Amino acid sequence: MSDDFMTPEARRENATALATALGLSVSDASEALDLKVAITVEKNNETARRIGDETYELLRRTVRKVAQDSCLGNVAAELIIGSARPKTNARRVFLRVLPDCATISLERHGTEACASTPPILALLISCFASAVTLSRALNRALPFAPPNPFTLDFRQVGIDWNAVSEPIDLEHTYVAGAGAIGNGFLWAARHLNFQGSLGIADDDTVGSGNLNRQIWFENEDIGKPKADRIVERAQRYFPKLKLVPNRCRLQDLPEKSSGPWLRRLIVSVDSRRARRELQNELPGEVFDSSTTDIREIVVHYNRQPTELACLSCIYEADEEEMTREKHIAQHLGVSIEDVRTERISESAAERIVLMHSELDPETLVGIAYDTLFKSLCAEGQLQTPEGRRIVAPFAFVSVLAGTLLALEVVRRLSAGEHSRDFNYWRLSPWHPIDKRRQIIRQRQSSCAFCADSILKNVNVNLWG
Ligand SMILES: [Zn+2]
């Protein structure tokens, strides 16, 4: 991949994310991200090399330039991994990897060689190292500034790290959505030993504004089906797992039946509504993670039948969602019902161009309302709570969400001594992992799925 593969649209997505987080204008945020970061890696150390490579892939999608083990001028921050010596005079971030934890700090606390870690853990460390390095490079107060030192205690994840390389038979599992988190999931899963088959359902094509966070995609994928492209790129990393692309939404798969066809579902679609609707497909087991702009990640798991929360409980319709849908409908000249279908239909496209004559109806059909709205709306509208919902996160946030999703599959399906006593986990990409935030969420009495007695009976018949 060329060094500068990021399209202007992808850079704008990053600028919008930062602008929203800091209350800046998009042009100021774009200027703030126009910076260079250096990564300097301890020699002859596998863990250090891996973290260097992963962090490079994450940060090059976020800032203008990332240099790995090379000298260059005007560097805003340098990440120094393990025992390596700094190569620049830039602001420094030191990463130590010890057997039980990683520390990321602005001063050097030790010069030992990096301890050996499983590759999936190296990726997890890289996501947090990217956050701290970016924060240091920006040199401005983020509202969620990472602590110094930042200590990532591996035990807080609740994963038995000795068991992560064991084979896990996924049998016939499906992934709904090949967007940012679906990409992050497969990016992380390439470090695991999954077997069986994985159907990947997505009806969308790769957009030029996706390259900053949908980590498998490159310039030549733009305009092509996401499901096909991700399988094409990722399959060679999965010798024992068959990836099956489906150019449709999960609910439109031809193999769908009234029987127990959807035993296991990995959810990585991009809206609360789409997540809720997937619970109505009656999956036996759900692995889910989502992001709220660049601030937060949610991880959820359920196995039916259960008295605990389902997807529809977790992502229940709320005031912000309704305000946002109303807003989009008014701005585009369509009905709220149109917006709720998520994708622009032919007839909606004709109505949109009546209000926005600069647009071509043919190019609108099939794209997401959120995407179009984001490209049209004034900057101030994205700073509102409901506007923030549609701001896309940075690559390291989406990949962190995908990594946690992959680890959730390990946690629930492999035999290790993992902690499994929770179904809901909210965490910040800017703060160390704290196990106390892994909690049990009870079901909502008003849930559109759980509270429906017919659906409940069907569910018990399928999975009881
Ligand atoms: Zn529910």
Side-chain angles (χ1 to χ4, degrees), residues 11 36 88 112 179 223 245 287 295 303 305 312 328 334 352 388 437 449:
R11 290 204 185 278
K36 292 184 205 164
T88 74
E112 62 278 84
F287 299 82
R295 289 168 304 159
R303 185 175 179 164
S312 190
I328 294 177
V334 294
I352 290 169
R388 278 210 294 259
R437 300 189 71 181
F449 180 80

Side-chain angles (χ1 to χ4, degrees), residues 247 444 459:
R247 287 185 205 173
Q444 305 268 16
N459 202 32

Side-chain angles (χ1 to χ4, degrees), residues 279 302 304 306-316 442-451:
Q279 191 66 58
N302 77 65
Q304 299 294 335
T306 177
E307 290 304 313
L308 300 176
C310 74
L311 268 179
S312 190
C313 297
I314 300 289
Y315 300 103
E316 64 176 334
Q442 299 297 330
R443 68 185 194 85
Q444 305 268 16
S445 54
S446 57
C447 172
F449 180 80
C450 300

Side-chain angles (χ1 to χ4, degrees), residues 15-27 29 293 295 373 377-391:
T16 305
L18 187 67
T20 309
L22 294 181
L24 298 174
S25 69
V26 173
S27 62
D293 57 65
R295 289 168 304 159
F373 180 67
C377 72
E379 289 183 10
Q381 289 172 312
L382 290 174
Q383 313 269 5
T384 61
E386 67 273 9
R388 278 210 294 259
R389 283 259 177 98
I390 57 173
V391 171

